[in-house]
Amino acid sequence: MPVHHPEPERLMEYAAGAASPAMDVLIAAHLSLCPTCRKTVERLERMGGHMLESLGSDEDVVSMSPGAFDALLEKLDLPEEAPQAAAGDEIDPLPGVDLPAPIRETLRNLERPLEWRNRGKGIEEAEIPLPVDVDDSVRMSLLRIQPGRAVLEHTHDGGEELTMVLAGGFSDEHGHYVRGDVQTGDDELIHKPIADEGEVCVCLAVVEGNLRFTGPVGRVLNLFMRT
Amino acid sequence: MDSLHRDETNNHVEAALKSGRSTVVRRNKAHLYGTMNANVSEPVSEAAQMDGLLVAVGKHRDRGAFQRLFDFFAPRLKAYVMRLGAADDVAEELVQEAMLMVWRRAETYDPGQARASTWVFTIARNKRIDAIRRAKRPEPDMNDPSFMPEEVQPADRFVEAAQDEERVKEALKNLPEEQAELIRQVYFQDKSHRVIAAETGLPLGTVKSRIRLALKKMRLTIEERDNAGTSP
C-alpha cells in the first residue's frame, strides 16, 4: 500500500471536479492503488452530495423549463449507445509496466505513440498531450530513470510537481517512494530524487507551472458542444 | 476513442458489486438514519426519501418514483451547473443527460454505500467534466487487474457511511465562514487552490492550509478521523 499520498486539497479537488485533466489522471491512478485515499474521496463526494441537497431554498434552485420531464420520458426507453471497442485495446502502451487503468486508458487514447526523448544522465521523458483546458501551464509526462541515476536538482518556480511511481522506486531527502507513492514538490522543496539500484524507475509526473491568471472564470465554458 | 464512452459509473458498479451486504447491516443503517431524523425532529426529510425512490427506480423501473427524483434533483442540478458557469440551455441539457444516466444506472445504486444525493452528485460532476473535455474523466476501475482492493469488512463500511453523512452535515454547518466559502469555491465554482490563490493574491501555502484546516475540522481526512478515536 502506498505510504506517500497526494495532499488532502488535491483529493478534494478531484472529488469536487475542480482538478485539471492531468491531475485527474494522476489522482485516479493513485486511488486505484490506495484504498485509504479512496475512502477519503468517498467522504469528500458525500460532502458534494450534501451541498447539492442543501440547495433547497427558492433562491438557490433553478427551475427546469416546462416540458423538460416529458422530453426526458421519451428518451427513457431508447437503447443506450453501446461503447465501441477501439482498435488499440489490445495494445500494451508501456510494455513491462503494470499500469493502473486511468493511465493505461489515457495512453491508449493518444493519437500518436509515446515519443521518448533523452534528457541525459540516464533519464528519458515522454510527454502526454492533454485534453484542452484553460490552464495551459500544466504538463504531464512519463519519466524513465535508469537504476541509481539522479534527476537534476530542481525547484518549481511558483508551481508544483506531483510524481507518482509506477515501477521501481526512488529516494529523496523526504523518504523512499515505491509503486503508488506520490511525491509533491513545490517552491520550498529543492529536491534531488535518486532512482533505486537494480531496477528502472518509471514515474508519471504532472507539473503545474506558474499559473497565469487572466480572467474571473475558472473554466472555459463555451467549450460545451451542443449535440 | 474506445473507452471514452465506456461505462461511466464504474465507482457505483464497484460499490454494488463489492457490497456483500446483509440484512443485519441494513437494519444498522436504518437505525442510524432513524436516530438522525429523530434528532432534527422531523419525519423523514424529503432528501432522505430520495434514497428509497432511487432504489424503486433501480428495482422496478418505477416512473412515478423517477418523476419525484427529477422534481427534487433537476432544479438543484441545474443550479449546480449554472453556478459552475453553464448557460441556461447548456445547463438544461446537462441535467437531462445526468437524469437519463440516473435512470439507466439506478440498479447499481446501493443505499448502504451513499445517499442518493451523493450518487447523483458524482454523476452530474462527471457528465459536466466529460462535456467540457469531450473525453471521459478518468476514474479508478475495480475490474482493473492493477486495482488494490481494501481490506475492511463491508459491514463496517455501511455503518461508517451513515456516520460520515451525519458528521459532514453538522461540520459544514459549524465551519467558520472563511473556510466554508473556500469549500464552496472548490465545489460550486470549480476553483482549484491555485486559482483561488491567483485570484485573491493570497500565497498558495495560505490557501492550502486554510483548506486543510477546514477538512481537519470536518474530520474528512482519514488520519484526522482515526486519530480522533471515539470522540463525538
Side-chain angles (χ1 to χ4, degrees):
Chain A
M1 303 276 176
V3 293
H4 298 280
H5 305 283
E7 297 170 312
E9 57 275 13
R10 296 285 182 188
L11 297 179
M12 181 167 85
E13 282 160 19
Y14 176 88
S20 73
M23 210 51 84
D24 272 348
V25 174
L26 187 141
I27 300 292
H30 175 76
L31 293 178
S32 303
L33 304 179
C34 183
T36 308
C37 287
R38 279 207 299 277
K39 221 167 177 182
T40 303
V41 166
E42 267 178 32
R43 288 190 181 137
L44 291 163
E45 287 173 339
R46 276 183 204 129
M47 185 154 76
H50 173 66
M51 287 169 79
L52 181 69
E53 211 171 79
S54 14
L55 286 174
S57 61
D58 289 344
E59 316 88 78
D60 285 337
V61 300
V62 184
S63 300
M64 293 291 282
S65 61
F69 184 70
D70 291 335
L72 182 57
L73 275 183
E74 284 174 24
K75 293 186 196 159
L76 295 188
D77 296 324
L78 296 179
E80 204 172 334
E81 222 174 284
Q84 294 175 353
D89 260 9
E90 276 70 50
I91 297 169
D92 186 349
L94 198 59
V97 181
D98 179 9
L99 295 171
I103 300 177
R104 196 169 54 240
E105 279 163 28
T106 302
L107 297 183
R108 278 178 178 160
N109 288 319
L110 294 182
E111 283 167 14
R112 285 173 288 127
L114 287 175
E115 264 177 59
W116 288 94
R117 291 170 197 276
N118 194 342
R119 297 288 185 223
K121 311 230 175 197
I123 297 162
E124 294 162 288
E125 182 174 17
E127 188 145 352
I128 303 171
L130 297 166
V132 67
D133 190 62
V134 277
D135 187 355
D136 59 3
S137 71
V138 181
R139 286 177 63 236
M140 175 162 63
S141 60
L142 286 164
L143 294 171
R144 208 150 56 183
I145 309 157
Q146 292 303 312
R149 304 312 285 264
V151 176
L152 284 180
E153 223 168 82
H154 60 294
T155 57
H156 300 95
D157 189 29
E160 283 191 335
E161 175 171 13
L162 272 71
T163 309
M164 175 173 157
V165 180
L166 300 171
F170 70 79
S171 298
D172 69 5
E173 62 273 36
H174 294 276
H176 185 222
Y177 298 78
V178 295
R179 181 172 165 80
D181 283 330
V182 172
Q183 180 221 47
T184 302
D186 62 21
D187 262 355
E188 274 110 65
L189 177 69
I190 300 174
H191 70 152
K192 190 179 183 181
I194 298 170
D196 292 356
E197 295 292 347
E199 196 179 351
V200 174
C201 177
V202 180
C203 299
L204 179 75
V206 175
V207 183
E208 294 177 332
N210 214 339
L211 182 62
R212 280 155 298 170
F213 189 69
T214 49
V217 178
R219 291 278 150 108
V220 181
L221 289 145
N222 55 17
L223 290 176
F224 279 123
M225 282 278 286
R226 301 297 307 263
T227 45
Chain B
M1 294 290 109
D2 53 324
S3 37
L4 293 187
H5 304 290
R6 226 171 25 83
D7 186 353
E8 316 215 2
T9 47
N10 280 327
N11 277 351
H12 311 301
V13 175
E14 166 195 329
L17 288 173
K18 273 171 105 175
S19 59
R21 66 185 177 278
S22 68
T23 48
V24 176
V25 174
R26 277 188 179 286
R27 271 201 295 279
N28 278 345
K29 184 208 148 236
H31 170 70
L32 279 166
Y33 282 138
T35 311
M36 179 182 102
N37 289 323
N39 282 344
V40 294
S41 71
E42 57 183 66
V44 183
S45 74
E46 197 183 6
Q49 292 174 32
M50 294 303 134
D51 299 9
L53 292 170
L54 188 48
V55 170
V57 171
K59 283 200 176 138
H60 315 295
R61 308 273 92 194
D62 180 337
R63 291 187 183 221
F66 185 59
Q67 175 147 26
R68 288 189 58 199
L69 284 168
F70 185 91
D71 290 344
F72 182 80
F73 282 116
R76 285 174 169 79
L77 289 175
K78 190 169 172 187
Y80 165 64
V81 293
M82 286 182 75
R83 282 182 187 213
L84 287 159
D88 191 289
D89 58 337
V90 175
E92 190 109 351
E93 199 172 315
L94 276 174
V95 173
Q96 296 277 39
E97 279 181 31
M99 289 308 297
L100 184 58
M101 190 61 68
V102 167
W103 172 261
R104 286 176 173 165
R105 298 283 181 274
E107 58 196 346
T108 67
Y109 168 69
D110 175 359
Q113 183 91 8
R115 294 288 295 273
S117 54
T118 300
W119 192 78
V120 171
F121 166 77
T122 58
I123 288 183
R125 171 199 66 192
N126 292 359
K127 274 277 169 214
R128 180 183 153 272
I129 291 177
D130 294 353
I132 294 177
R133 294 183 191 163
R134 280 172 249 161
K136 196 192 159 290
R137 175 179 190 262
E139 286 195 294
D141 173 2
M142 76 151 318
N143 299 313
D144 170 13
S146 305
F147 188 86
M148 186 82 71
E150 73 190 298
E151 289 153 13
V152 182
Q153 292 303 305
D156 301 343
R157 293 179 49 84
F158 298 112
V159 176
E160 192 184 273
Q163 289 169 341
D164 275 355
E165 298 278 3
E166 184 59 1
R167 195 182 58 235
V168 166
K169 212 166 163 175
E170 276 308 304
L172 203 57
K173 238 188 278 174
N174 299 323
L175 214 55
E177 181 48 31
E178 182 186 71
Q179 287 161 27
E181 177 55 24
L182 269 181
I183 304 278
R184 276 197 294 273
Q185 287 188 326
V186 177
Y187 280 84
F188 281 168
Q189 290 172 36
D190 195 16
K191 289 177 182 168
S192 67
H193 61 274
R194 308 177 70 214
V195 172
I196 295 171
E199 233 181 28
T200 55
L202 289 168
L204 196 63
T206 307
V207 177
K208 285 168 80 153
S209 50
R210 279 184 194 170
I211 291 176
R212 257 181 236 187
L213 198 61
L215 292 176
K216 196 171 167 182
K217 280 213 177 98
M218 294 188 283
R219 288 190 284 145
L220 275 169
T221 47
I222 299 293
E223 299 77 20
E224 278 316 312
R225 203 192 74 94
D226 293 346
N227 292 343
T230 53
S231 62

